[in-house]
Amino acid sequence: MNIGVDLGGTKIKVGIASEGLILEQNTALLLQKDSLSSTLKQIKDLIRPHVSKNINQIGIGVPSVVDTERGIVYNVTNIPSWEKVALKDILEDEFHLPTFVNNDVNCFTLGEHLFGQAKGYNTAVGLTLGTGLGAGIIIDNKLYKGFNTGAGEIGLLKYLEKNYEYYLGSSFFERNFGFNAREVFIASQDGNKWALDAYAEFGMHLGAAIQAVMYTYDPEVVVLGGSISHAFSFFENTMHEGLKDFEFPESLKNIKILKSNNENIALLGAAALSR
C-alpha cells in the first residue's frame, strides 16, 4: 500500500492506494497559501493519519515544474509561497518513507496508463482541461518527463494570436462569453444556444491542440481530464471536426480520444510514482 497526495491550487487530496484502488482518503481546502510553513504543516497533518507499517512509500503530484531526481518543487501554480521547496527531503525526514514528487498532470497520465483509460497502450498522452492546458506523456510504457520535467507543455505552443492554453483554459469562456466554465456548463445542460456555441468553438481549438499532440508524439490514445472535460459531450463533435485536416489519415483513423472516468486517477498515479 502506498500513500498518494494530489496537491492543487485550492485543495489537497490524500489517500491510501493499493492495486489501483483508493482504500481511504481525505480532502481539505488548502489554507494560508501565503505561508510555506503553514501549507507544509497542513500537508503533513493530512498524511500522518494514513502512515503505518503497511505503507511502502509516498507519492505527491504538484502543479509545477519539478526536479524529480531531487524532489524539489519550483513556483507552484496558485501557491505563491512555494517558490523552491525541497519537498522530497521534507516529507522523508518527517515520515521516514521513500517519497516521490512529480508534476500533477504527469500523475494523472501515469494513473490513466496504469489503471484507467490508457491501460494497455504503449504510447499515450493525457490532457487536462481546467485553469490551463496540461499534458503528460507515456512513451514505451514509461512516463516521459524531459530533462527538466517540462516535456508536454503543449499549452504554451504558439497558436493563433497567443497559445493553445489561451483558447483552452477556463478563462476562454469568461473572456469570450462573459461566464465562467461552470456557468457555461450549466447553461449547456439547459440547452442555451450561446453556451452550446461556446463549446462548439472550444472543441475546434481542442482539435487543433490534439493535432499538435499527434504530430509531436503520435500516441495510440489521448485521455482528457480536468474540470472542463466533464462537458465532453458538448464539444466532442467539433473537436473531431478540428482534426479533419490532419495530414495522415491512417493516424487519424487509429487514434482514440477518451474522457477520464475516475476522479481519483491523479491520486492513483501519484501513489504509483516509483514505477
Side-chain angles (χ1 to χ4, degrees):
M1 295 191 296
N2 301 330
I3 292 175
V5 183
D6 185 11
L7 174 64
T10 59
K11 65 181 180 180
I12 314 164
K13 185 184 289 188
V14 180
I16 293 178
S18 178
E19 302 300 325
L21 299 174
I22 300 296
L23 305 182
E24 59 182 65
Q25 68 171 297
N26 56 339
T27 303
L29 292 176
L30 183 62
L31 306 174
Q32 299 180 349
K33 294 193 288 185
D34 291 330
S35 169
L36 175 60
S37 60
S38 294
T39 52
L40 286 172
K41 180 180 184 302
Q42 188 180 9
I43 290 169
K44 291 175 185 177
D45 289 346
L46 288 169
I47 292 174
R48 190 169 290 108
H50 300 293
V51 174
S52 72
K53 65 180 180 180
N54 298 317
I55 298 299
N56 297 310
Q57 66 186 45
I58 297 170
I60 179 166
V62 295
S64 68
V65 172
V66 180
D67 178 340
T68 55
E69 298 302 319
R70 296 187 294 165
I72 299 175
V73 174
Y74 298 94
N75 303 310
V76 177
T77 304
N78 294 323
I79 310 179
S81 60
W82 285 46
E83 294 181 356
K84 181 180 179 181
V85 183
L87 191 55
K88 174 182 171 69
D89 289 345
I90 290 168
L91 294 181
E92 287 186 344
D93 288 345
E94 181 73 21
F95 298 111
H96 309 290
L97 286 167
T99 298
F100 302 86
V101 187
N102 212 312
N103 173 268
D104 58 345
V105 185
N106 284 345
C107 291
F108 164 79
T109 305
L110 180 63
E112 290 291 352
H113 174 61
L114 293 175
F115 311 112
Q117 297 281 57
K119 187 175 182 179
Y121 296 98
N122 294 325
T123 57
V125 171
L127 294 178
T128 55
L129 306 166
T131 304
L133 172 65
I137 305 151
I138 298 290
I139 297 176
D140 293 335
N141 290 308
K142 294 181 180 178
L143 188 63
Y144 179 71
K145 300 170 295 200
F147 183 69
N148 297 299
T149 320
E153 291 294 345
I154 299 298
L156 300 182
L157 291 175
K158 299 301 180 187
Y159 172 65
L160 299 180
E161 297 177 359
K162 297 285 186 177
N163 56 32
Y164 286 109
E165 187 164 271
Y166 184 80
Y167 296 90
L168 292 169
S170 56
S171 63
F172 165 79
F173 297 102
E174 296 180 26
R175 191 172 56 248
N176 292 287
F177 299 93
F179 294 90
N180 65 37
R182 178 168 177 75
E183 291 170 327
V184 177
F185 181 57
I186 292 171
S188 294
Q189 291 178 309
D190 292 336
N192 286 304
K193 184 179 183 303
W194 68 266
L196 296 173
D197 289 344
Y199 279 126
E201 183 177 340
F202 180 89
M204 293 296 293
H205 295 310
L206 180 58
I210 293 174
Q211 283 204 38
V213 167
M214 294 173 68
Y215 283 126
T216 307
Y217 300 108
D218 190 24
E220 298 167 90
V221 60
V222 173
V223 184
L224 304 177
S227 57
I228 298 176
S229 71
H230 296 306
F232 184 59
S233 62
F234 295 120
F235 58 76
E236 182 179 9
N237 289 340
T238 54
M239 176 194 72
H240 285 292
E241 285 182 34
L243 286 166
K244 283 183 178 178
D245 60 348
F246 188 74
E247 293 290 343
F248 307 126
E250 284 303 308
S251 298
L252 196 58
K253 187 187 304 180
N254 295 326
I255 186 74
K256 293 178 175 58
I257 303 171
L258 307 172
K259 175 185 168 295
S260 178
N261 58 12
N262 186 334
E263 63 180 13
N264 289 318
I265 203 69
L267 200 62
L268 290 170
L273 274 175
S274 64
R275 298 196 185 190

